[in-house]
Amino acid sequence: MKTLMIIVCLIFLANVAGAQSPDRTKTRIIRNATVLTVSHGTLVNTDVLIRNGKIAAVGQNLKAPDDAQVIDATGKFVSPGIIDAHSHTMMDGSVNECTKSVTSMARTQDILNPTAIGIYRELAGGTTAALLLHGSCNAIGGLSTTVKLKWGHPAADFPIPGATPGIKFALGENPKRTNFNIPGLQPRYPATRMGVEETIRDAFARARDYKRDWDDYRAGVARDEKNLIPPRRDLELEPLVEVLEGKRFVHSHCYRADEILMLMNLADELGFKVRTLQHVLEGYKVASEIARHGAMASAFADFWGYKMEAYDAIPYDVAIMTRHGVVSSVNSDSDERARRLNIEAAKMVRYGGLTEDEALKLVTLNPAMQLGIENRVGTIDVGKDADVVVWSAHPLSVYTHVEQTFVDGELLFDRQADIARRAQLEAERKTLEAAESNKSPAQGGTPPRAPSAIRRAYTHDDDIQDGEDRRP
Amino acid sequence: MIMRNVRLVIVSLALMLLLTIVVSWQLRSAAQRHTATDTYAITNARIVTVSGPAIDRGTIVIRDGLIAAVGANVAAPPDARPIDGTGLTVYPGIIDASTTLGIPRPSPTPGAAPGGLAALFASQAAPSATSPNSTQPPGMQPEILASDLIKPGGPEIEAARNVGITSAQTAPRGNVFLGQSAVINLAGDSPQQMIVRSPVALYVGLNPLGGGQYPGSLMGVFASIRQMLLDARRYQEANEIYERNPRGLKRQNYDKSLAALQPVIAGRMPIVMQADREREIERVLDLAKEYNLQMILNGGLEADRLAARLKAANVPVLLSLNFPKRTTAASPEAEPEPLRILRERVEAPRTAGRLAAAGVRFAFQSGGMTSITDYLANAAKAIDNGLSREEALRAMTLRPAEILGVASQLGSIEVGKIANLTITRGDIFDKNRRIAYVFIDGRPLDLRPTAEIGSRGPNASGTWSLTVNLTGSGNEKQEFTAMLSLQQRAERLTGSLQGQLGSGTISAGTISESDVNFTVPITFPGPGSQTTDAIFTGSLAGNQISGTVQIVGRGAGTFTATRSTVPTSAPAPTPSPDR
């Protein structure tokens, strides 16, 4: 009992200590690595100095203060942290508010779960930031959150301050619900692609009226008119007004070339630009049009054929769009794929002949540009946030693994420390399992979970309608 | 001489008769003057007043439902029914700070025959009532009052009284706006006699609505709460402008839901929000801060991690005593439980002590525990884990009274307060204590040994041989068999399925009288078969359950289950609760 108390006290202290550790402001120097800057080429035998959460210096034989932690990266590679431009990690409850076709009042920021283990595993795969999106159930979905994966911090620390806010749109089979058969579910408009377009157009027409009503009211107040009743504040329409005013990015899930063209034309008609087309697996068919509109693209590397609208997908999609001048990225849409986005990027060397630098850009600088945070992250440049990953081999190699991951200069994943900690966790487990409240009931008791033939790897799966494995 | 004796005997008999008549006459008059049961004096007892120092040996006089006198030197009045308190300890009646006591469970709506996804989405927290002419759907109606729904008596109130609980805050069930709570005494023949204070607080929940209605997700719930609060503010503003001079202005539509929210947005009525985990507590605190609402935290499993913030915001906590414990049986093949869950179970009893140390006000509540005897047992566990006895007792008596605004009537033994008393033999936190008397409104109650609620009536626990017949199309196999293992606790059914329909754990099982309902994921045999939900609705008679089953994406069918005596030993895989 006493040992239990001691161990639990230690855990409690460790939790508390972690929150206040000086780790955040520690000065670090990564020595003698091959640094893939992404912005200005590859530098060999180079040091990276991290101070106060920023990249303080990049160069050979840097001078470092005596109290700096030295990381010997001889033979290793350093890259900017990977940015996942389509994620549903760390969200509590459903990622979809499916009950209406327009749910712009729903906010992903309300349901952040900073303790989701997916965050830690993604850090172990080199991912340091993500765009957390609403699901693709609705033509107009909820508001997104751009986060850094700050494992161990409270939820309020995750959203990147100053990042331009976003909203999710969805086109095609998911919002019109043709790719799953649920008898008894009340049919919801729209059920066709025409209806999806009309839903979006109608929502913006209402947003325009809403904006006008408020402008009229404010003008009336300015004129000192009496007895004016303000219009109703409508949380659904306010984000759409922000889109019209260019203050909120539109990230739209889409597959087929016709709907991609439809959305861009609609956006031009309504007076805004689509920021990113997500999935966009037929983007290669309309790459010039996408470039002309000014949209960017975020796609899968080689995932295809899981529903009708993904049938014409080809792994050369990203390469073709890149060659046509579309700023493209490769995303995960999955807690599992988000752990190996480096390999997804590497596939684009094989499919389409992107250079290694271009491929690495697909998961670093390009998604940073798409999220509007390229001034802070996405490359290794002096003055940028120290979101940096140390790899055992070139990040595009299948043999590589992550040694350390830094976010804002804080060491949030360390492979050696993780391995060393396993014994301690085992000991803690043994003690906890012996505690009285963790013992099984004397009689009765429901059957416990046991391994079965088919097991879902991750209990939380994201936008499953986009083709994730739905078996249990 | 015999004559004289006979005369003596006759006179004695006559005198005795006369005496009997006179005495009974007196007694009857006494009974008519005041009910003999109105006045009590408990003498020679240890009295723990909570508001002041304990009295080692004293007397309490109860008259007309109130505490008339209390002290070491108080004399029992002649008309009081004496109760010998030697060896007994008198405490203020225990208050359970958050329950649904007295509010009947909603009967399953006849129209909502489980149909596919609609039933899949069926909310676990079905609303207690529907407000007539409301602009909001059931489950989102803040105008619902607990005081309108309370029914006296019932097994749950009895069980609570049997462990010494004398009053409780009770609130309706629901989804987002559950309704306004009331503080009730757990005795009385009518709701009016039970209610001590109403309304007390607006309960706000974070449970999505079912049946495909908005809000259907946690995101939607937050958005809908915000929108309602904004609309309530505007309703007030607009009505004020209109009232000042209606001429020329279009009137606002009357909306009683928004009207019911006015005391809340004005800060006059607190909201009670359920949150257990650190991030959940942060969310609700942020929401209350955003709209400047007075908040009471309900649940608070990890509240100690945010003690400083709770103290700074002056948010009291209704701390649940329903500590998490392992409910799965042991098995050599079982997967290890996540460390997070193991830690949580060990940490739970420590929260109270830490909150007390940080100066956060808290009161104990039963947290929906199915076995109310755990209430005192877990309070004792909290004492073992760092909470002082005085704080623990306070958290069951005066603190909840203060938080719920009834401190001038309940919560301590003081002259003039309502005579709710819990009288024990042995210290109240001692494992071997017995509840000797429970007084509510100055009347002692019939105590019965606690029986677990629902132990009477049909029992579905056991192992069943299940046969499902599907009315499918084409040449698909129509009949499937499986082993069904069920455990019944009160009205909840848990268990698992294993056989030709794959393996699955029951996700939403209820039994009410003989109506059995449960949902379980099944997988049809064959490669590439997808898992889907099967919704069973049947009735239990003896050792047979029969009824209909709706399989999402496949159609409907019928099923029968026969109870077998051979218990299943194969554990079924279950999805881990991701919370």
Side-chain angles (χ1 to χ4, degrees):
Chain A
M1 182 62 193
K2 203 160 113 181
T3 341
L4 172 65
M5 295 275 289
I6 292 172
I7 289 188
V8 176
C9 284
L10 283 173
I11 297 160
F12 180 61
L13 283 170
N15 282 334
V16 170
Q20 290 147 4
S21 80
D23 190 80
R24 289 183 207 189
T25 50
K26 210 184 188 79
T27 304
R28 300 184 150 96
I29 179 131
I30 305 170
R31 285 215 186 276
N32 203 22
T34 307
V35 178
L36 308 167
T37 64
V38 176
S39 54
H40 56 282
T42 301
L43 310 171
V44 295
N45 300 111
T46 302
D47 302 342
V48 178
L49 177 66
I50 295 172
R51 185 164 47 216
N52 288 335
K54 300 278 187 203
I55 298 173
V58 177
Q60 294 193 324
N61 298 316
L62 292 179
K63 268 226 225 344
D66 292 330
D67 64 340
Q69 179 195 7
V70 178
I71 294 152
D72 181 11
T74 312
K76 303 205 169 115
F77 290 72
V78 170
S79 80
I82 291 175
I83 299 170
D84 184 1
H86 190 122
S87 172
H88 304 291
T89 306
M90 65 179 288
M91 287 167 65
D92 271 334
S94 175
V95 309
N96 271 307
E97 173 55 62
C98 274
T99 55
K100 289 184 172 188
S101 298
V102 177
T103 57
S104 34
M105 61 294 221
R107 304 177 190 178
T108 54
Q109 195 162 345
D110 284 335
I111 59 172
L112 299 183
N113 177 3
T115 64
I117 195 62
I119 303 170
Y120 182 71
R121 291 174 181 159
E122 288 173 32
L123 287 167
T127 305
T128 54
L131 176 65
L132 301 180
L133 290 168
H134 185 280
S136 54
C137 213
N138 315 323
I140 296 183
L143 310 181
S144 60
T145 316
T146 312
V147 297
K148 286 202 189 191
L149 301 181
K150 296 198 155 202
W151 180 248
H153 287 236
D157 287 354
F158 279 69
I160 301 178
T164 309
I167 184 170
K168 176 80 178 283
F169 283 16
L171 310 176
E173 288 180 36
N174 288 9
K176 71 187 180 84
R177 310 220 184 157
T178 46
N179 57 4
F180 41 102
N181 174 24
I182 303 180
L185 182 66
Q186 182 154 353
R188 181 199 73 170
Y189 171 81
T192 61
R193 281 191 165 83
M194 314 185 264
V196 171
E197 177 182 352
E198 200 276 337
T199 303
I200 300 175
R201 184 176 271 121
D202 173 78
F204 278 99
R206 289 185 287 123
R208 278 230 189 89
D209 287 347
Y210 179 78
K211 179 169 155 53
R212 193 201 53 221
D213 287 344
W214 272 96
D215 287 343
D216 287 349
Y217 170 74
R218 288 194 199 103
V221 167
R223 281 194 302 270
D224 243 348
E225 279 176 30
K226 298 286 176 238
N227 289 339
L228 282 181
I229 296 181
R232 175 179 179 260
R233 271 198 65 193
D234 193 332
L235 295 177
E236 180 184 317
L237 298 176
E238 282 176 9
L240 301 180
V241 171
E242 289 171 355
V243 169
L244 290 173
E245 293 174 346
K247 295 181 190 151
R248 186 173 285 278
F249 288 155
V250 169
H251 304 289
S252 182
H253 153 126
C254 54
Y255 280 89
R256 277 199 351 205
D258 59 317
E259 64 197 15
I260 295 169
L261 290 175
M262 176 279 285
L263 184 66
M264 296 192 302
N265 288 337
L266 182 59
D268 282 335
E269 179 191 321
L270 295 170
F272 64 89
K273 291 287 171 207
V274 177
R275 183 72 178 182
T276 66
L277 297 161
Q278 298 276 339
H279 309 319
V280 65
L281 296 188
E282 285 190 14
Y284 65 93
K285 296 182 183 176
V286 287
S288 312
E289 285 82 353
I290 297 175
R292 205 176 318 133
H293 176 82
M296 303 192 238
S298 189
F300 295 132
D302 58 355
F303 201 19
W304 71 287
Y306 43 90
K307 47 184 171 171
M308 280 312 295
E309 59 188 0
Y311 226 64
D312 269 5
I314 57 173
Y316 303 86
D317 184 31
V318 169
I320 293 174
M321 289 193 291
T322 303
R323 291 284 171 256
H324 280 74
V326 178
V327 174
S328 305
S329 67
V330 169
N331 68 42
S332 75
D333 196 7
S334 157
D335 283 15
E336 192 276 315
R337 253 198 305 273
R339 304 165 63 180
R340 49 182 173 85
L341 282 170
N342 57 318
I343 302 301
E344 298 297 286
K347 290 177 186 174
M348 302 293 92
V349 176
R350 165 76 178 81
Y351 294 111
L354 292 184
T355 66
E356 285 179 10
D357 282 343
E358 286 172 327
L360 199 53
K361 253 201 198 141
L362 297 175
V363 291
T364 52
L365 180 57
N366 286 1
M369 288 170 66
Q370 291 172 346
L371 304 184
I373 51 175
E374 72 272 27
N375 54 333
R376 297 180 61 136
V377 291
T379 64
I380 305 221
D381 279 308
V382 171
K384 283 208 169 167
D385 295 349
D387 289 5
V388 164
V389 184
V390 179
W391 304 83
S392 63
H394 194 287
L396 299 182
S397 159
V398 296
Y399 298 108
T400 195
H401 57 249
V402 171
E403 299 279 7
Q404 285 113 358
T405 308
F406 297 89
V407 177
D408 282 341
E410 197 181 345
L411 180 61
L412 293 183
F413 173 75
D414 183 330
R415 189 181 171 80
Q416 298 309 316
D418 184 290
I419 292 170
R421 222 175 141 230
R422 291 175 196 179
Q424 176 204 333
L425 290 174
E426 262 314 300
E428 185 194 347
R429 169 176 290 279
K430 279 210 168 46
T431 324
L432 287 173
E433 280 175 352
E436 203 230 306
S437 45
N438 284 321
K439 293 244 177 63
S440 300
Q443 73 220 81
T446 53
R449 178 184 173 155
S452 65
I454 297 173
R455 190 175 87 125
R456 174 174 274 219
Y458 297 89
T459 53
H460 172 82
D461 224 355
D462 43 288
D463 208 356
I464 57 171
Q465 283 86 359
D466 276 353
E468 281 300 319
D469 190 343
R470 296 184 73 185
R471 289 176 302 166
Chain B
M1 186 139 115
I2 297 172
M3 273 315 283
R4 213 174 35 235
N5 283 345
V6 167
R7 221 186 299 148
L8 213 57
V9 168
I10 290 172
V11 167
S12 319
L13 281 172
L15 272 172
M16 277 190 330
L17 189 61
L18 192 61
L19 202 61
T20 317
I21 294 170
V22 166
V23 167
S24 68
W25 181 265
Q26 284 287 357
L27 280 175
R28 205 175 48 220
S29 315
Q32 284 162 353
R33 258 204 306 277
H34 21 237
T35 324
T37 49
D38 255 0
T39 313
Y40 297 86
I42 304 162
T43 55
N44 202 28
R46 180 174 141 80
I47 303 171
V48 181
T49 62
V50 175
S51 53
I55 302 168
D56 278 332
R57 208 131 301 177
T59 299
I60 298 186
V61 178
I62 299 166
R63 194 190 296 276
D64 244 345
L66 302 178
I67 297 170
V70 57
N73 301 316
V74 164
D79 60 333
R81 182 110 84 103
I83 293 177
D84 182 15
T86 312
L88 300 181
T89 313
V90 183
Y91 297 94
I94 299 174
I95 302 175
D96 187 347
S98 182
T99 68
T100 50
L101 285 173
I103 299 179
R105 270 179 208 281
S107 46
T109 43
L117 208 63
L120 242 185
F121 283 147
S123 166
Q124 242 95 351
S128 289
T130 303
S131 163
N133 267 6
S134 177
T135 52
Q136 303 298 323
M140 294 199 49
Q141 297 169 335
E143 64 264 30
I144 302 259
L145 292 171
S147 54
D148 283 344
L149 306 173
I150 291 167
K151 298 268 175 294
E156 282 157 343
I157 286 184
E158 257 187 59
R161 286 200 308 236
N162 287 340
V163 298
I165 298 174
T166 55
S167 26
Q169 175 178 217
T170 185
R173 294 177 186 81
N175 300 77
V176 182
F177 291 105
L178 281 59
Q180 300 170 41
S181 64
V183 172
I184 56 171
N185 275 345
L186 301 187
D189 300 317
S190 70
Q192 291 74 15
Q193 288 180 353
M194 294 169 71
I195 295 170
V196 175
R197 179 167 183 238
S198 170
V200 172
L202 176 65
Y203 268 61
V204 179
L206 298 176
N207 313 301
L209 291 180
Q213 271 199 307
Y214 175 80
S217 71
L218 187 58
M219 286 188 284
V221 166
F222 274 98
S224 62
I225 293 174
R226 285 200 186 93
Q227 187 67 64
M228 277 276 274
L229 292 170
L230 286 172
D231 287 344
R233 268 194 205 152
R234 179 174 179 273
Y235 187 71
Q236 172 78 341
E237 271 179 50
N239 277 336
E240 274 172 9
I241 295 174
Y242 185 76
E243 296 289 320
R244 264 183 269 141
N245 186 12
R247 296 241 179 161
L249 285 177
K250 188 147 188 280
R251 75 175 188 286
Q252 300 296 302
N253 285 340
Y254 176 67
D255 189 329
K256 67 173 169 175
S257 302
L258 296 182
L261 284 176
Q262 297 308 316
V264 168
I265 57 178
R268 288 193 308 268
M269 183 188 295
I271 58 169
V272 173
M273 292 204 76
Q274 171 85 33
D276 280 304
R277 300 216 156 59
E278 190 181 349
R279 64 191 184 274
E280 294 170 354
I281 299 174
E282 279 180 326
R283 279 176 205 151
V284 301
L285 285 172
D286 288 343
L287 186 67
K289 185 156 165 236
E290 193 181 333
Y291 291 90
N292 213 7
L293 306 174
Q294 294 278 84
M295 198 186 102
I296 299 173
L297 180 65
N298 198 16
L301 182 72
E302 294 182 356
D304 54 326
R305 301 195 195 177
L306 288 163
R309 186 169 173 190
L310 288 166
K311 175 129 172 64
N314 201 17
V315 170
V317 180
L318 306 180
L319 189 61
S320 168
L321 283 176
N322 193 8
F323 297 153
K325 56 181 185 236
R326 183 176 165 155
T327 53
T328 52
S331 158
E333 291 148 15
E335 276 191 3
E337 293 183 294
L339 274 178
R340 177 177 53 84
I341 291 182
L342 296 174
R343 284 176 190 147
E344 185 175 274
R345 293 199 195 116
V346 167
E347 287 288 294
R350 303 205 164 105
T351 306
R354 293 184 188 141
L355 286 179
V360 175
R361 285 183 301 147
F362 68 93
F364 284 138
Q365 50 119 333
S366 50
M369 55 178 67
T370 40
S371 177
I372 195 67
T373 45
D374 286 344
Y375 186 95
L376 282 173
N378 283 357
K381 241 189 230 165
I383 294 174
D384 288 338
N385 279 276
L387 182 66
S388 74
R389 287 187 115 81
E390 292 71 40
E391 272 298 327
L393 186 59
R394 214 182 187 85
M396 301 191 319
T397 53
L398 195 50
R399 269 284 148 60
E402 287 166 353
I403 296 171
L404 302 173
V406 291
S408 40
Q409 300 156 281
L410 295 171
S412 61
I413 302 183
E414 292 179 78
V415 171
K417 282 201 173 180
I418 296 175
N420 280 10
L421 303 170
T422 304
I423 304 175
T424 60
R425 186 171 295 279
D427 183 274
I428 195 169
F429 295 117
D430 193 41
K431 208 171 24 179
N432 300 319
R433 77 162 114 75
R434 276 201 312 110
I435 308 283
Y437 297 91
V438 171
F439 276 78
I440 298 181
D441 272 325
R443 294 221 170 85
L445 294 160
D446 244 341
L447 297 177
R448 258 170 263 173
T450 340
E452 202 160 312
I453 313 155
S455 57
R456 355 171 177 181
N459 195 327
S461 293
T463 313
W464 302 77
S465 291
L466 176 71
T467 309
V468 174
N469 270 294
L470 287 184
T471 51
S473 62
N475 48 12
E476 299 160 341
K477 185 171 178 203
Q478 303 298 341
E479 193 184 272
F480 302 90
T481 56
M483 291 294 281
L484 180 67
S485 157
L486 291 178
Q487 293 88 33
Q488 177 181 342
R489 259 201 121 171
E491 283 182 27
R492 272 185 50 228
L493 273 183
T494 50
S496 58
L497 185 76
Q498 192 147 23
Q500 284 179 346
L501 291 168
S503 301
T505 305
I506 289 176
S507 62
T510 56
I511 172 166
S512 161
E513 303 300 313
S514 57
D515 292 323
V516 176
N517 291 282
F518 59 93
T519 304
V520 61
I522 57 167
T523 317
F524 287 99
S529 180
Q530 301 230 319
T531 300
T532 181
D533 268 335
I535 301 144
F536 290 81
T537 312
S539 62
L540 165 68
N543 284 329
Q544 274 254 337
I545 308 176
S546 55
T548 56
V549 57
Q550 184 85 8
I551 300 186
V552 176
R554 234 347 236 276
T558 57
F559 77 94
T560 51
T562 313
R563 206 189 312 247
S564 64
T565 50
V566 179
T568 182
S569 56
T574 71
S576 75
D578 197 312
R579 262 318 199 217

